[in-house]
Amino acid sequence: MTTTTLINPADETVIGTIEHSTLEQVDEAIVRATLAQIGWAALAPADRAAALRRFALAVDGAIDDLAALEVTNSGHPIGQARWEAGHVRDVLNYYAAAPERMLGQQIPVAGGINVTFLEPIGVVGIIVPWNFPMTIASWGFAPALAAGNAVVLKPAEWTPLTAIRLGELALEAGLPVGLFQVLPGRGSVVGERFVTHPRVGKIVFTGSTEVGKRVMAGCSEQVKAVTLELGGKSANVVFADSDLEKAAATAPYSVFENAGQDCCARSRILVQRSVFDRFLELLEPAVKAVKVGQPGDADTEMGPLVSRTHFESVAAYVPDDERVAFRGSAPAGPGFWFPPTVLLPASATDRTVTDEIFGPVVTVQAFDDEADAIRMANASQYGLSGSVWTRDLGRALRVSRGIATGNLSVNSNSSVRYSTPFGGFKQSGLGRELGPDAAEAFTETKNVFISTVD
Ligand code: NAD
């Protein structure tokens, strides 16, 4: 059996070892899930709702535990980690309302009555990345369970601890054994087995575009349903008529939060040329004011990168100071610390502009007018998120409609609310998570015609 040694990213100490699930263990888990799902789907909708509310309550009681695990395992600042654990509770409560609202349709037809049913798919396989280990897991498992499915969940190799704890909390809350199982292990073993196992009816994959394409190709072998949440390189578009002070003061948090390891990071700032220099003057103190420090400190706003490997990947994008406009601070000593970094790229084709760096690195470029802003924002294979800053309502709407991306904010950088749909255009993904329709995405529509002809 292979293992992963878990390292605290803030100080490089070893915090534990995790055994990887074997192929046989995955197959056994899928059999257990198949059996558990039959009983779960047969429960009265109100009983499934009550079970999910108990699960939410158990998460609520464990917020401190879950947050402490994320601080140590992932280097997330404690304030952020507590928010993430609370978010999991909220997502469970939101989808606890779904079992009693899985509404079909009654469609007028000749010769009888036609009704539709939203049937659960069966077993759903959820594959999660390391950047937001518990929140992203909940976006899959909460609506999937609500719709009457069983879930097998694979956390990322580096960050399995909160997912494992959530699996225990589900059992403590009284969810049936086998209904929600967490299987740590390798993507090439556990993740791939979810894709190839005929009893797994749907895959929810969040991770890199490269692996997502392989998962999608694998799902095509069995015509298996798949949702993909992939990479991003989102634009923060700042017009001259905006509240420039606010746009500059908030821009660091739209890209440096979670040390830039955020698929929604606004990692390309596009500024109208007439206010470009002024914006940079305002941005510099805001970047330098970001509190980068120990994840356990209550006022820390940004922690370290998740691992040595990832640190090296981010650092390779900033080999020297040539293109650096300015930097924030970062602690010295052990840990995978990388300071918030602002680049003025040499050209629009520079790889700092085109690649998802997934670290605290942002480029700033100038645009001339509205059409130019839309063209530059869209010059990416990705289309996940983005922001538009302007006081002109018509322009805000025109630009929002013009940018090919799934989640936009006007005069704000917020990306995720569990009650609104989330997902990407282009190579940022396929399908949507969250929002009022998410549970339905874990069902098959069945049409039944009942003849009334004598
Ligand atoms: P990754 O693609 O390397 O891994 C994601 C998960 O897939 C991990 O659990 C991994 O073990 C598993 N995996 C690896 N190979 C596999 C295979 N062959 N079959 C099945 N599963 C396999 O991504 P990562 O480095 O963990 O995460 C960072 C990426 O995730 C970034 O690109 C980021 O933008 C993206 N992301 C997207 C969203 C979104 O909602 N769109 C959210 C968070 C992160």
Side-chain angles (χ1 to χ4, degrees):
M1 188 177 282
T2 56
T3 59
T4 299
T5 302
L6 303 180
I7 308 283
N8 182 334
D11 60 14
E12 301 184 48
T13 55
V14 173
I15 58 169
T17 303
I18 286 290
E19 289 188 351
H20 294 160
S21 309
T22 62
L23 215 50
E24 295 68 34
Q25 287 171 325
V26 177
D27 283 357
E28 285 162 18
I30 292 169
V31 170
R32 281 196 296 277
T34 307
L35 296 173
Q37 189 270 333
I38 295 167
W40 176 246
L43 281 182
D47 292 341
R48 267 189 278 138
L52 291 175
R53 287 192 196 100
R54 285 197 303 276
F55 188 7
L57 201 61
V59 171
D60 189 55
I63 283 183
D64 288 342
D65 279 7
L66 288 163
L69 288 173
E70 212 64 279
V71 167
T72 320
N73 191 179
S74 308
H76 290 193
I78 181 72
Q80 179 190 315
R82 287 182 59 83
W83 180 90
E84 289 166 18
H87 180 80
V88 174
R89 171 205 56 212
D90 296 344
V91 171
L92 277 164
N93 273 326
Y94 182 71
Y95 289 107
E100 295 175 281
R101 291 171 175 78
M102 300 302 292
L103 307 178
Q105 290 179 306
Q106 183 266 310
I107 300 170
V109 290
I113 288 175
N114 193 95
V115 285
T116 62
F117 296 91
L118 299 178
E119 305 285 12
I121 288 172
V123 179
V124 174
I126 300 178
I127 303 171
V128 177
W130 47 259
N131 62 327
F132 288 107
M134 59 180 145
T135 53
I136 289 174
S138 73
W139 300 354
F141 70 68
L145 293 171
N149 301 283
V151 168
V152 285
L153 172 78
K154 194 200 93 62
E157 284 90 327
W158 293 333
T159 58
L161 296 184
T162 46
I164 291 171
R165 184 76 190 111
L166 287 170
E168 293 165 359
L169 289 167
L171 288 175
E172 288 168 25
L175 258 64
V177 173
L179 187 71
F180 174 44
Q181 299 173 78
V182 177
L183 300 159
R186 294 225 172 278
S188 55
V189 178
V190 182
E192 282 200 14
R193 189 58 184 146
F194 288 1
V195 173
T196 59
H197 199 296
R199 285 278 176 84
V200 176
K202 173 164 182 166
I203 298 290
V204 177
F205 174 85
T206 306
S208 61
T209 297
E210 186 192 350
V211 178
K213 287 177 184 173
R214 287 180 54 185
V215 166
M216 187 174 175
C219 286
S220 76
E221 287 293 314
Q222 294 168 18
V223 196
K224 189 173 291 197
V226 62
T227 298
L228 300 174
E229 296 286 3
L230 310 175
K233 187 75 179 176
S234 298
N236 188 356
V237 184
V238 182
F239 284 93
D241 68 0
S242 68
D243 180 343
L244 210 60
E245 280 73 18
K246 190 171 175 194
T250 55
Y253 299 97
S254 78
V255 56
F256 301 141
E257 213 166 59
N258 206 31
Q261 303 165 123
D262 183 340
C263 53
C264 291
R266 275 75 167 163
S267 51
R268 293 184 293 145
I269 304 178
L270 310 180
V271 187
Q272 197 153 18
R273 202 174 301 280
S274 57
V275 293
F276 188 81
D277 292 342
R278 176 69 187 135
F279 181 84
L280 281 181
E281 275 170 26
L282 292 165
L283 184 64
E284 183 165 0
V287 167
K288 293 192 165 154
V290 174
K291 293 192 187 77
V292 184
Q294 293 307 319
D297 294 348
D299 63 348
T300 290
E301 293 174 325
M302 186 183 124
L305 292 168
V306 71
S307 69
R308 165 75 50 204
T309 312
H310 189 54
F311 174 89
E312 280 162 8
S313 153
V314 172
Y317 283 95
V318 194
D320 52 43
D321 284 353
E322 197 190 339
R323 290 284 153 194
V324 176
F326 41 85
R327 284 191 175 91
S329 63
F336 312 123
W337 300 98
F338 199 92
T341 303
V342 178
L343 301 179
L344 298 175
S347 79
T349 55
D350 193 286
R351 69 189 198 108
T352 58
V353 178
T354 57
D355 290 10
E356 183 187 45
I357 300 174
F358 224 53
V361 180
V362 67
T363 56
V364 190
Q365 299 165 272
F367 67 83
D368 292 314
D369 55 19
E370 214 176 287
D372 201 25
I374 294 173
R375 182 190 58 75
M376 287 173 74
N378 284 337
S380 172
Q381 61 171 324
Y382 299 115
L384 188 55
S385 128
S387 298
V388 182
W389 293 82
T390 175
R391 287 190 167 102
D392 179 334
L393 180 58
R395 165 174 284 164
L397 286 169
R398 283 192 303 274
V399 177
S400 295
R401 299 298 300 271
I403 298 180
T405 183
N407 299 82
L408 273 155
S409 319
V410 174
N411 297 329
S412 154
N413 295 314
S414 89
S415 299
V416 171
R417 287 161 302 272
Y418 56 77
S419 55
T420 58
F422 176 77
F425 279 34
K426 300 192 276 185
Q427 295 196 28
S428 283
L430 194 69
R432 292 293 178 271
E433 296 190 287
L434 299 176
D437 303 327
E440 207 173 313
F442 292 96
T443 64
E444 291 276 19
T445 299
K446 181 180 287 171
N447 194 67
V448 177
F449 169 74
I450 305 155
S451 171
T452 51
V453 177
D454 209 1

